[in-house]
Amino acid sequence: MNILKDAGLDIDVFDDSQNLITKDELSKRVADKDFLITPLSTKVDSDVIDAAPNLKLIANYGAGFNNIDTEYAKSKGIPVTNTPKVSTTSTAEVTCALMISLAHRVVEGDQLMRTKGFTGWAPLFFLGHELAGKTLGIIGMGQIGQAVAKRMHAFDMKILYNQRHQLDSATEEKLGAKFASVDDIVKNADVITLHAPATPETHHLIGAEQFKEMKDSAMLINAARGPLIDEAALLDALKNHEIAGAGLDVYEAEPKVDDGFKSLKNVILTPHIGNATVEARDAMAEIVAKNTVAMDKGNKPDYIINGVEL
């Protein structure tokens, strides 16, 4: 906020901490604005863009941008920016936390101790699984995927990965990672974690067909985008023991979560906290503020994602 104030910009802030801004209110409040800073939870569609004839920039507070009609903004000559890179460490750490917690049944154990407790140590009581020696499949090997690989390679996991372009051999060697098809990952991985963007091509990337191919001991982690998984199929797979567990930080109909997941002990549900650290959020805020000031001064902002030439 100080960056914007120091630049002499007038700021209109939606500060209701209990509710999201409605489309109608957003359209009214943006009508006379030059710049829009918006979080991932706010939809900025063609109607909202049309309601703001003076709009010069949409600065998304997040690495993703599927909440914005980027092509329509481009047709209006409005650049859309995001905040990549700065949430990499936090999201990778949350991904690894979900993975470790599932394997060692940490959340289950916490719930047990808060309720009926236990009678004492026993050789076969509350067994989980070690991750060392297991195969981790990473779908989407960008910055976050590589950060996860780096951390879990240190746990002595074998790494299979898939993305559009294969990494160079030096990076693969450093991460202990081997390029594989999605099908091979689905069939061979003990843990699968998703780090792909939400696009028409990745919608329901993991669904009923994939769950039938996965090991019945496999675990699925999603701290990327909810629509990558067919959640109805996931729920069926968990109930039918086609896979062993899931850790979800994002949801297909976010913020709604299917009640069916809430009753399952082998599922960890977190409220989209992938980049919810002071460090990441401060860095994200700095990016959107500096991009706004840059546009106000006639300079090009960083991280334009919809191809608008300035």
Side-chain angles (χ1 to χ4, degrees):
M1 193 73 76
N2 288 338
I3 293 173
L4 299 173
K5 289 180 178 178
D6 291 346
L9 292 171
D10 293 325
I11 307 167
D12 179 8
V13 179
F14 179 78
D15 56 3
D16 186 339
S17 61
Q18 302 299 316
N19 301 287
L20 297 177
I21 192 168
T22 65
K23 181 176 177 178
D24 285 344
E25 184 171 0
L26 176 60
S27 297
K28 290 176 183 177
R29 292 175 70 158
V30 80
D32 60 346
K33 301 300 189 296
D34 297 297
F35 314 108
L36 173 61
I37 295 174
T38 181
L40 283 168
S41 53
T42 298
K43 295 291 183 184
V44 182
D45 60 15
S46 58
D47 294 333
V48 173
I49 294 170
D50 283 340
N54 300 323
L55 200 59
K56 301 179 181 67
L57 172 71
I58 302 171
N60 214 40
Y61 185 76
F65 44 85
N66 52 304
N67 57 312
I68 300 173
D69 190 335
T70 55
E71 287 304 311
Y72 191 74
K74 181 179 181 179
S75 74
K76 295 287 186 176
I78 302 170
V80 177
T81 62
N82 68 339
T83 60
K85 302 179 181 180
V86 294
S87 60
T88 295
T89 297
S90 180
T91 305
E93 289 180 355
V94 167
T95 298
C96 297
L98 289 171
M99 208 178 301
I100 296 165
S101 296
L102 265 180
H104 289 274
R105 303 174 66 184
V106 172
V107 175
E108 276 188 84
D110 178 78
Q111 292 171 343
L112 177 69
M113 295 307 295
R114 292 173 187 272
T115 52
K116 64 181 182 181
F118 76 126
T119 59
W121 184 94
L124 300 180
F125 174 68
F126 222 77
L127 298 181
H129 289 280
E130 295 179 2
L131 292 172
K134 302 296 193 304
T135 297
L136 172 62
I138 301 176
I139 300 178
M141 198 64 153
Q143 291 179 335
I144 296 173
Q146 290 182 46
V148 171
K150 174 184 176 181
R151 286 156 176 78
M152 299 319 294
H153 179 49
F155 273 63
D156 294 326
M157 293 194 80
K158 303 169 186 175
I159 312 291
L160 296 178
Y161 78 93
N162 179 270
Q163 68 167 359
R164 191 170 298 176
H165 303 293
Q166 185 173 353
L167 299 174
D168 62 83
S169 58
T171 302
E172 287 186 335
E173 183 176 358
K174 179 181 177 181
L175 298 174
K178 180 180 178 182
F179 186 78
S181 68
V182 171
D183 286 344
D184 283 343
I185 288 174
V186 165
K187 292 176 182 177
N188 295 301
D190 298 293
V191 183
I192 296 174
T193 180
L194 306 179
H195 299 287
T199 66
E201 292 74 27
T202 61
H203 183 76
H204 286 185
L205 178 67
I206 303 295
E209 181 181 347
Q210 287 72 36
F211 292 125
K212 286 180 170 56
E213 294 291 330
M214 289 169 65
K215 297 179 180 180
D216 59 12
S217 59
M219 300 182 298
L220 178 65
I221 310 295
N222 189 9
R225 294 290 175 262
L228 298 178
I229 298 175
D230 181 341
E231 282 191 1
L234 172 59
L235 188 55
D236 286 342
L238 289 164
K239 288 179 176 179
N240 296 329
H241 306 290
E242 291 178 343
I243 66 171
L248 305 176
D249 186 49
V250 291
Y251 306 92
E252 190 170 0
E254 195 168 313
K256 296 179 181 179
V257 182
D258 192 310
D259 286 339
F261 291 113
K262 299 176 184 179
S263 63
L264 298 177
K265 293 182 179 180
N266 58 342
V267 178
I268 298 177
L269 307 172
T270 52
H272 202 147
I273 57 171
N275 59 20
T277 60
V278 171
E279 295 84 357
R281 296 287 170 86
D282 282 353
M284 291 161 62
E286 183 176 354
I287 289 172
V288 295
K290 286 184 175 180
N291 277 345
T292 301
V293 172
M295 282 296 294
D296 184 55
K297 293 183 176 181
N299 299 321
K300 184 178 179 179
D302 294 327
Y303 311 122
I304 296 175
I305 50 85
N306 65 335
V308 172
E309 298 289 340
L310 297 175

